[in-house]
Amino acid sequence: MTLTLSEAGQNVVAGTFGQAMKRAGEALGSMSGQVIEVQAPMLRRCTAAEVLAMAGGPESVVLAVYVGIFGALEGHALLLFPPADAHRLAQILLTGLLGPGELPIEATNDALVYDELELSALQESGNVTISAFLNELAMHLHEPIQPTPPQVVVEMAGAVLDAVLLDLVSDADQVLAAKTTFSEGGRAIDGTLFVLPRADSLRALLDALGAIGI
Amino acid sequence: MTLTQSPSLLVASIGEMVLSSSSDAHLVAYGLGSCIALAIWDPRARVGGLAHFMLPNGPANGSSPVKFIDTGIDNFLKAMEARGALLNRCLIKAAGAAAMLTVGNGLAIGKRNAETMQAALTERGLSLTAASLGGNSGRTVQLEVADGRFLIKSLSSVTEL
């Protein structure tokens, strides 16, 4: 399904997604106890190859928190972190929970190795962030949007994203991708939130936003 | 053993294929998850090809000739023959078709990709010489046109198939 939007319609959608991305950043900030800066979101139609490029290229290694989206809007959401930044975020989250000096995590030189507590904290960060985004959209739809339980994967970005993209591109060459980047001032934690809605469920959202026919 | 970075690197992006008869060419597909890469190399004609298939079934697609296995595999095989390959003597190897995500509405496309690829080859009287399919790890693959070596890189290792 291809929906054509006027420039005004696109602006309405971009504004709403921007607000939802901001809510997601606030949720991550509240969870981590840090001020999280949210970059102006990018919302565009793109090919699968372009989505992979937006994630840093198919071979870039990421820690990804995946959440499936069901209900009034359907699709996929991923929160991606560079491995070293994911470690830093996990440390911040766990320090907030356990208190300084109580971290049971042994330092490791391997950025790809995470212990169970770190993975659990990062999984929850994705859950909270993506749920905040979806709650904002659900307010416009007046219907619930349900996230699946989150799953954490440390892998090449292409390998994680292709599973999601293949689900979306079977009857379309392009997907609608919303992306923003979170960072924590001073000591960088760069996280990228991707939201990839299923085309056939977009119409309800666009109708609810009044983005069609303006 | 490491994967090569050189000017003769030809990349098969998602839904694309690359072919070469140049002895210094390295054909690469990066970051395969559920996708499946099919590598074909003719030891006599010294021509190689690498296709980065996305999905098992779908209509022929002009912009992505190997997006779908069932309608795209002949595009790849014909392109190899046009370069002088004789398919019956080729080494045919495949990698990918992993299951990266376990939550959601069954994104088990990798398994279907592997099954469809094997069926499509059998239907054409061909078979895989070697394969690294399934599992839950991402793969980057590289075909060396000079000698037909097929390298598979995951986050933890590089192996030769």
Side-chain angles (χ1 to χ4, degrees), chain B residues 86-106:
Chain B
L86 199 58
L87 294 174
N88 285 334
R89 69 183 178 209
C90 285
L91 299 181
I92 304 177
K93 300 177 183 179
M100 304 303 301
L101 301 171
T102 54
V103 297
N105 62 342

Side-chain angles (χ1 to χ4, degrees), chain A residues 28 34 55 65 71 89 107 116 119 174 180 214:
Chain A
L28 185 60
Q34 307 293 316
V65 186
L89 177 61
E116 218 166 285
L119 288 176
Q174 292 189 314
T180 193
I214 59 172

Side-chain angles (χ1 to χ4, degrees), chain A residues 37 69-70 84 87 130 147 153 160 163 176 179 185 191 203:
Chain A
E37 293 151 29
I69 304 169
F70 292 93
H87 274 294
I130 293 166
V153 183
V160 182
L176 182 71
K179 176 196 163 181
R203 176 172 281 278

